[in-house]
């Protein structure tokens, strides 16, 4: 296995910069909704499939985001009518969120149209290359985030 040197690290960071630029080139989101809010919506859909109740802490952990930012996004999404909140019967301090019917319609329409368009544009990438990219980016994030956490101690 080839050792990672400074030149290769620079090329990795250049690629990460391109990834940020790619993010900026993605199709427009529906008017008035941020990418963070779309990620929160998606996380609730994914988490709801695996567990009965979804809490802000679950969403924050899944997205690797701070709770206050997720709390704000949940508040905005709820105000738009896409989430419903339900207070936990055992501990009234905990509030679960779930998609409302309007949220489900919005999510399904956006998900279908948005990703169908991206699928066509990204047709030159095969699934194994996509998996390699995903794994590498997640590993780099974990390593750099771990270094950041160590610096806070």
């Amino acid at each position: 296995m080839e050792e990672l040197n400074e030149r290769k690290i620079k090329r990795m960071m250049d690629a990460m910069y391109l990834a940020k630029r790619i993010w900026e080139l993605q199709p427009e989101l529906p008017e008035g909704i941020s990418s963070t809010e779309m990620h929160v919506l998606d996380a609730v859909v994914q988490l709801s499939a695996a567990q009965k109740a979804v809490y802000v802490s679950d969403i924050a952990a899944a997205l690797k985001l701070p709770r206050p930012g997720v709390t704000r996004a949940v508040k905005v999404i709820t105000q738009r009518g896409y989430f419903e909140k339900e207070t936990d019967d055992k501990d009234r301090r905990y509030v679960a969120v779930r998609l409302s019917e309007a949220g489900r319609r919005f999510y399904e329409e956006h998900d279908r149209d948005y990703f169908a368009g991206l699928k066509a544009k990204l047709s030159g990438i095969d699934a194994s290359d996509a998996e390699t990219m995903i794994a590498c980016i997640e590993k780099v994030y974990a390593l750099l985030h771990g270094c950041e956490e160590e610096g806070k101690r």
Side-chain angles (χ1 to χ4, degrees):
M1 186 160 93
E2 183 182 347
E3 183 179 316
L4 188 61
N5 59 36
E6 289 83 2
R7 179 71 190 136
K8 190 71 73 172
I9 292 170
K10 167 133 179 30
R11 289 190 60 216
M12 285 175 54
M13 292 300 110
D14 289 346
M16 294 296 168
Y17 177 73
L18 284 177
K20 181 181 180 212
R21 300 275 319 274
I22 290 167
W23 182 257
E24 295 164 356
L25 294 172
Q26 67 183 320
E28 290 290 318
L29 292 169
E31 187 174 332
I33 194 150
S34 72
S35 61
T36 299
E37 292 162 9
M38 283 306 303
H39 277 84
V40 169
L41 275 164
D42 188 57
V44 169
V45 169
Q46 302 307 316
L47 290 167
S48 294
Q51 62 194 54
K52 183 177 178 180
V54 177
Y55 300 97
V56 168
S57 58
D58 299 326
I59 301 165
L63 296 176
K64 298 176 180 73
L65 292 173
R67 281 189 203 178
V70 173
T71 299
R72 282 189 298 275
V74 166
K75 182 179 178 181
V76 169
I77 295 166
T78 303
Q79 289 170 342
R80 287 199 177 107
Y82 297 154
F83 280 164
E84 295 172 344
K85 292 182 175 182
E86 184 177 327
T87 304
D88 188 285
D89 291 335
K90 295 177 185 171
D91 189 337
R92 313 269 316 147
R93 294 174 295 172
Y94 292 103
V95 178
V97 296
R98 67 174 174 270
L99 282 180
S100 65
E101 189 54 41
R104 188 170 319 287
R105 283 191 310 271
F106 171 80
Y107 179 81
E108 288 172 356
E109 180 179 314
H110 167 74
D111 195 58
R112 180 189 64 238
D113 296 344
Y114 185 83
F115 289 104
L118 278 175
K119 182 180 177 187
K121 290 180 179 181
L122 299 175
S123 63
I125 298 174
D126 68 29
S128 66
D129 286 343
E131 286 299 328
T132 300
M133 181 193 77
I134 292 163
C136 186
I137 289 171
E138 288 175 347
K139 188 173 187 176
V140 169
Y141 178 84
L143 291 168
L144 292 179
H145 186 67
C147 289
E148 183 179 291
E149 291 297 315
E150 287 178 19
K152 290 181 181 178
R153 294 178 190 156

